[in-house]
mmCIF file of all heavy atoms in Angstrom:
data_model
loop_
_atom_site.group_PDB
_atom_site.id
_atom_site.type_symbol
_atom_site.label_atom_id
_atom_site.label_comp_id
_atom_site.label_asym_id
_atom_site.label_seq_id
_atom_site.Cartn_x
_atom_site.Cartn_y
_atom_site.Cartn_z
ATOM 1 N N LEU A 690 126.175 48.631 148.060
ATOM 2 C CA LEU A 690 124.729 48.504 148.116
ATOM 3 C C LEU A 690 124.215 47.514 147.027
ATOM 4 O O LEU A 690 124.804 47.352 146.027
ATOM 5 C CB LEU A 690 124.061 49.860 147.857
ATOM 6 C CG LEU A 690 124.436 51.014 148.902
ATOM 7 C CD1 LEU A 690 123.826 52.322 148.440
ATOM 8 C CD2 LEU A 690 124.011 50.565 150.212
ATOM 9 N N PRO A 691 123.155 46.835 147.323
ATOM 10 C CA PRO A 691 122.607 45.841 146.432
ATOM 11 C C PRO A 691 122.067 46.560 145.188
ATOM 12 O O PRO A 691 121.641 47.702 145.225
ATOM 13 C CB PRO A 691 121.454 45.212 147.166
ATOM 14 C CG PRO A 691 121.004 46.177 148.187
ATOM 15 C CD PRO A 691 122.282 46.902 148.592
ATOM 16 N N CYS A 692 122.194 45.900 144.050
ATOM 17 C CA CYS A 692 121.679 46.477 142.811
ATOM 18 C C CYS A 692 120.940 45.404 142.018
ATOM 19 O O CYS A 692 121.186 44.162 142.241
ATOM 20 C CB CYS A 692 122.702 47.065 141.954
ATOM 21 S SG CYS A 692 123.977 45.919 141.399
ATOM 22 N N GLU A 693 120.109 45.784 141.154
ATOM 23 C CA GLU A 693 119.352 44.788 140.429
ATOM 24 C C GLU A 693 120.241 44.021 139.483
ATOM 25 O O GLU A 693 121.115 44.565 138.833
ATOM 26 C CB GLU A 693 118.160 45.535 139.573
ATOM 27 C CG GLU A 693 117.202 46.195 140.497
ATOM 28 C CD GLU A 693 116.136 46.901 139.586
ATOM 29 O OE1 GLU A 693 116.242 46.843 138.409
ATOM 30 O OE2 GLU A 693 115.184 47.503 140.210
ATOM 31 N N ALA A 694 120.023 42.770 139.428
ATOM 32 C CA ALA A 694 120.792 41.893 138.455
ATOM 33 C C ALA A 694 120.325 42.155 137.068
ATOM 34 O O ALA A 694 119.099 42.277 136.832
ATOM 35 C CB ALA A 694 120.672 40.482 138.865
ATOM 36 N N HIS A 695 121.213 42.182 136.094
ATOM 37 C CA HIS A 695 120.783 42.371 134.775
ATOM 38 C C HIS A 695 120.164 41.156 134.152
ATOM 39 O O HIS A 695 119.316 41.263 133.241
ATOM 40 C CB HIS A 695 122.017 42.755 133.932
ATOM 41 C CG HIS A 695 122.650 44.069 134.322
ATOM 42 N ND1 HIS A 695 122.072 45.299 134.097
ATOM 43 C CD2 HIS A 695 123.819 44.282 134.984
ATOM 44 C CE1 HIS A 695 122.795 46.232 134.573
ATOM 45 N NE2 HIS A 695 123.875 45.646 135.147
ATOM 46 N N ASN A 696 120.368 40.005 134.715
ATOM 47 C CA ASN A 696 119.784 38.768 134.189
ATOM 48 C C ASN A 696 118.689 38.397 135.168
ATOM 49 O O ASN A 696 118.853 38.218 136.392
ATOM 50 C CB ASN A 696 120.810 37.627 134.136
ATOM 51 C CG ASN A 696 120.309 36.404 133.350
ATOM 52 O OD1 ASN A 696 119.159 36.104 133.545
ATOM 53 N ND2 ASN A 696 121.158 35.813 132.551
ATOM 54 N N SER A 697 117.451 38.227 134.656
ATOM 55 C CA SER A 697 116.267 37.919 135.503
ATOM 56 C C SER A 697 116.436 36.586 136.190
ATOM 57 O O SER A 697 115.749 36.335 137.143
ATOM 58 C CB SER A 697 115.034 37.957 134.671
ATOM 59 O OG SER A 697 115.075 36.972 133.617
ATOM 60 N N GLY A 698 117.372 35.735 135.692
ATOM 61 C CA GLY A 698 117.508 34.433 136.290
ATOM 62 C C GLY A 698 118.525 34.440 137.370
ATOM 63 O O GLY A 698 118.881 33.386 137.918
ATOM 64 N N MET A 699 119.167 35.603 137.644
ATOM 65 C CA MET A 699 120.226 35.685 138.617
ATOM 66 C C MET A 699 119.752 36.168 139.965
ATOM 67 O O MET A 699 118.940 37.146 140.029
ATOM 68 C CB MET A 699 121.345 36.619 138.211
ATOM 69 C CG MET A 699 122.046 36.145 136.852
ATOM 70 S SD MET A 699 123.173 34.804 137.210
ATOM 71 C CE MET A 699 124.458 35.658 138.098
ATOM 72 N N VAL A 700 120.176 35.604 141.036
ATOM 73 C CA VAL A 700 119.857 36.052 142.414
ATOM 74 C C VAL A 700 121.146 35.989 143.209
ATOM 75 O O VAL A 700 121.698 34.935 143.387
ATOM 76 C CB VAL A 700 118.755 35.142 143.054
ATOM 77 C CG1 VAL A 700 118.553 35.554 144.505
ATOM 78 C CG2 VAL A 700 117.512 35.167 142.255
ATOM 79 N N ASN A 701 121.562 37.211 143.596
ATOM 80 C CA ASN A 701 122.842 37.377 144.420
ATOM 81 C C ASN A 701 124.029 36.709 143.689
ATOM 82 O O ASN A 701 124.785 36.040 144.262
ATOM 83 C CB ASN A 701 122.589 36.696 145.811
ATOM 84 C CG ASN A 701 121.661 37.474 146.649
ATOM 85 O OD1 ASN A 701 121.515 38.721 146.509
ATOM 86 N ND2 ASN A 701 120.926 36.792 147.559
ATOM 87 N N GLY A 702 124.047 36.837 142.423
ATOM 88 C CA GLY A 702 125.204 36.342 141.659
ATOM 89 C C GLY A 702 125.091 34.967 141.249
ATOM 90 O O GLY A 702 125.957 34.396 140.656
ATOM 91 N N ALA A 703 124.007 34.259 141.519
ATOM 92 C CA ALA A 703 123.822 32.834 141.112
ATOM 93 C C ALA A 703 122.474 32.627 140.467
ATOM 94 O O ALA A 703 121.542 33.468 140.644
ATOM 95 C CB ALA A 703 123.973 31.893 142.333
ATOM 96 N N PHE A 704 122.357 31.597 139.705
ATOM 97 C CA PHE A 704 121.060 31.289 139.083
ATOM 98 C C PHE A 704 120.069 30.924 140.070
ATOM 99 O O PHE A 704 120.301 30.095 141.011
ATOM 100 C CB PHE A 704 121.235 30.193 137.982
ATOM 101 C CG PHE A 704 121.900 30.680 136.734
ATOM 102 C CD1 PHE A 704 123.248 30.497 136.557
ATOM 103 C CD2 PHE A 704 121.143 31.359 135.760
ATOM 104 C CE1 PHE A 704 123.848 30.931 135.408
ATOM 105 C CE2 PHE A 704 121.774 31.775 134.576
ATOM 106 C CZ PHE A 704 123.091 31.570 134.402
ATOM 107 N N SER A 705 118.776 31.321 139.966
ATOM 108 C CA SER A 705 117.663 31.020 140.815
ATOM 109 C C SER A 705 117.312 29.568 140.539
ATOM 110 O O SER A 705 117.497 28.982 139.532
ATOM 111 C CB SER A 705 116.485 31.858 140.618
ATOM 112 O OG SER A 705 115.944 31.649 139.351
ATOM 113 N N SER A 706 116.648 28.880 141.565
ATOM 114 C CA SER A 706 116.267 27.530 141.492
ATOM 115 C C SER A 706 115.206 27.299 140.423
ATOM 116 O O SER A 706 115.004 26.180 139.951
ATOM 117 C CB SER A 706 115.823 26.993 142.886
ATOM 118 O OG SER A 706 114.716 27.748 143.336
ATOM 119 N N GLY A 707 114.519 28.419 140.153
ATOM 120 C CA GLY A 707 113.427 28.288 139.159
ATOM 121 C C GLY A 707 113.906 28.225 137.761
ATOM 122 O O GLY A 707 113.153 28.016 136.821
ATOM 123 N N ASN A 708 115.258 28.430 137.503
ATOM 124 C CA ASN A 708 115.735 28.410 136.157
ATOM 125 C C ASN A 708 115.695 26.999 135.592
ATOM 126 O O ASN A 708 115.962 26.036 136.272
ATOM 127 C CB ASN A 708 117.219 28.884 136.243
ATOM 128 C CG ASN A 708 117.672 29.260 134.836
ATOM 129 O OD1 ASN A 708 117.158 28.823 133.889
ATOM 130 N ND2 ASN A 708 118.696 30.173 134.823
ATOM 131 N N VAL A 709 115.279 26.953 134.330
ATOM 132 C CA VAL A 709 115.121 25.625 133.673
ATOM 133 C C VAL A 709 116.363 24.877 133.704
ATOM 134 O O VAL A 709 116.474 23.723 134.001
ATOM 135 C CB VAL A 709 114.567 25.791 132.274
ATOM 136 C CG1 VAL A 709 114.435 24.456 131.585
ATOM 137 C CG2 VAL A 709 113.214 26.544 132.323
ATOM 138 N N ASN A 710 117.518 25.597 133.279
ATOM 139 C CA ASN A 710 118.753 24.955 133.273
ATOM 140 C C ASN A 710 119.526 25.259 134.616
ATOM 141 O O ASN A 710 120.116 26.260 134.762
ATOM 142 C CB ASN A 710 119.630 25.501 132.078
ATOM 143 C CG ASN A 710 118.957 25.189 130.724
ATOM 144 O OD1 ASN A 710 118.450 24.104 130.534
ATOM 145 N ND2 ASN A 710 118.994 26.174 129.823
ATOM 146 N N LYS A 711 119.406 24.339 135.493
ATOM 147 C CA LYS A 711 119.940 24.489 136.865
ATOM 148 C C LYS A 711 121.461 24.684 136.795
ATOM 149 O O LYS A 711 122.139 23.941 136.159
ATOM 150 C CB LYS A 711 119.533 23.382 137.706
ATOM 151 C CG LYS A 711 119.986 23.552 139.202
ATOM 152 C CD LYS A 711 119.512 22.408 140.043
ATOM 153 C CE LYS A 711 119.942 22.652 141.513
ATOM 154 N NZ LYS A 711 119.425 21.544 142.316
ATOM 155 N N ASP A 712 121.986 25.707 137.493
ATOM 156 C CA ASP A 712 123.394 26.019 137.578
ATOM 157 C C ASP A 712 123.989 25.022 138.659
ATOM 158 O O ASP A 712 123.686 25.180 139.876
ATOM 159 C CB ASP A 712 123.681 27.424 137.899
ATOM 160 C CG ASP A 712 125.121 27.682 138.025
ATOM 161 O OD1 ASP A 712 125.888 26.855 137.431
ATOM 162 O OD2 ASP A 712 125.513 28.735 138.630
ATOM 163 N N ARG A 713 124.801 24.075 138.228
ATOM 164 C CA ARG A 713 125.375 23.162 139.116
ATOM 165 C C ARG A 713 126.473 23.775 140.069
ATOM 166 O O ARG A 713 126.830 23.193 141.086
ATOM 167 C CB ARG A 713 125.972 21.957 138.344
ATOM 168 C CG ARG A 713 125.008 21.103 137.595
ATOM 169 C CD ARG A 713 125.663 19.893 136.973
ATOM 170 N NE ARG A 713 124.717 19.061 136.321
ATOM 171 C CZ ARG A 713 124.299 19.200 135.053
ATOM 172 N NH1 ARG A 713 124.845 20.234 134.397
ATOM 173 N NH2 ARG A 713 123.341 18.382 134.499
ATOM 174 N N LEU A 714 126.960 24.945 139.673
ATOM 175 C CA LEU A 714 127.965 25.535 140.512
ATOM 176 C C LEU A 714 127.447 26.721 141.367
ATOM 177 O O LEU A 714 128.125 27.559 141.875
ATOM 178 C CB LEU A 714 129.100 26.223 139.594
ATOM 179 C CG LEU A 714 129.891 25.133 138.884
ATOM 180 C CD1 LEU A 714 130.950 25.818 137.983
ATOM 181 C CD2 LEU A 714 130.662 24.202 139.845
#
Side-chain angles (χ1 to χ4, degrees):
L690 298 177
C692 62
E693 295 180 0
H695 295 288
N696 191 319
S697 59
M699 296 286 289
V700 176
N701 293 329
F704 284 98
S705 66
S706 59
N708 198 335
V709 177
N710 298 319
K711 185 177 180 180
D712 180 20
R713 293 186 178 87
L714 292 178

